[in-house]
Amino acid sequence: NAGVTQTPKFQVLKTGQSMTLQCAQDMNHEYMSWYRQDPGMGLRLIHYSVGAGITDQGEVPNGYNVSRSTTEDFPLRLLSAAPSQTSVYFCASSYSITPSNQPQHFGDGTRLSIL
Amino acid sequence: AQSVAQPEDQVNVAEGNPLTVKCTYSVSGNPYLFWYVQYPNRGLQFLLKYITGDNLVKGSYGFEAEFNKSQTSFHLKKPSALVSDSALYFCAVRDGRGSTLGRLYFGRGTQLTVWP
């Protein structure tokens, strides 16, 4: 059971480039989400999805797009990379959004540097 | 809006001593509270969650958390710290209602260092 798998683990981009961070889970979870982790700021929600075909914005969605064509996959796209998007990105999933006492399962992260 | 606060950026304890990592919360409705741990270059691992009615919740690796409704706190505790407990700890609250149902809000994290 792989859990939540994120690729790539590391990436360096130039300002203005675009790229897609991949996230896949094999637990048949309905709820998936993307966070960014910055020093001293905890984790902040970028986008989330409550099921295939349904996505919504979190706290810091600007500059990012998502789609959810299957239950398993939830890619995050950077449209035009900016240095402010240098961060560690985590994908997480849980079985559903209710009951709300379900813990989320996290991938190991993608460390992204924008030059 | 839901929020959590971790008032200490760093906690240092000697191995074998008890440890406490503090968390206070602000929620509307029922509190859905969690503790996660993050080791270097890894994702977050679930430690424990608040269960309604239980003021002392037991979790993984010997950790427990004390829920105090009047003080709106959910402090993480361990009776005897290990060097291997050194990590970054996050308190989080999950939104239980409304348009933000299911969202998870994190504290800023507390770096725990256990000295041998």
Side-chain angles (χ1 to χ4, degrees), chain A residues 3-69:
Chain A
V4 179
T5 302
Q6 290 185 239
T7 55
K9 295 189 184 304
F10 303 94
Q11 185 70 48
V12 178
L13 292 178
K14 295 181 179 178
T15 298
Q17 287 185 314
S18 62
M19 80 159 293
T20 298
L21 280 62
Q22 301 292 345
C23 175
Q25 52 90 10
D26 61 359
M27 297 173 283
N28 200 30
H29 284 173
E30 291 183 349
Y31 185 90
M32 296 186 74
S33 52
W34 277 102
Y35 297 87
R36 59 178 289 172
Q37 182 181 20
D38 301 293
M41 301 187 72
L43 280 77
R44 292 179 292 169
L45 181 65
I46 304 171
H47 285 285
Y48 65 99
S49 168
V50 299
I54 306 170
T55 64
D56 207 345
Q57 297 180 351
E59 302 171 71
V60 289
N62 292 342
Y64 307 95
N65 273 356
V66 292
S67 60
R68 184 95 180 270
S69 57

Side-chain angles (χ1 to χ4, degrees), chain B residues 24-113:
Chain B
T24 58
Y25 66 88
S26 174
V27 301
S28 50
N30 293 326
Y32 298 100
L33 297 161
F34 303 85
W35 276 101
Y36 289 87
V37 59
Q38 184 181 31
Y39 297 101
N41 299 315
R42 298 299 302 276
L44 278 68
Q45 297 179 28
F46 168 70
L47 272 182
L48 53 80
K49 65 180 181 183
Y50 171 63
I51 300 172
T52 303
D54 288 351
N55 289 341
L56 188 64
V57 179
K58 294 191 183 298
S60 305
Y61 312 120
F63 283 93
E64 54 192 26
E66 188 174 20
F67 174 76
N68 187 315
K69 186 174 182 178
S70 62
Q71 297 185 1
T72 61
S73 65
F74 190 56
H75 299 332
L76 182 69
K77 297 175 180 287
K78 189 173 183 181
S80 178
L82 299 172
V83 172
S84 57
D85 293 330
S86 299
L88 186 58
Y89 290 81
F90 288 99
C91 183
V93 61
R94 195 165 190 187
D95 211 324
R97 64 183 202 179
S99 61
T100 52
L101 176 67
R103 291 193 191 184
L104 198 59
Y105 299 90
F106 286 87
R108 294 169 61 171
T110 298
Q111 180 66 48
L112 172 68
T113 301

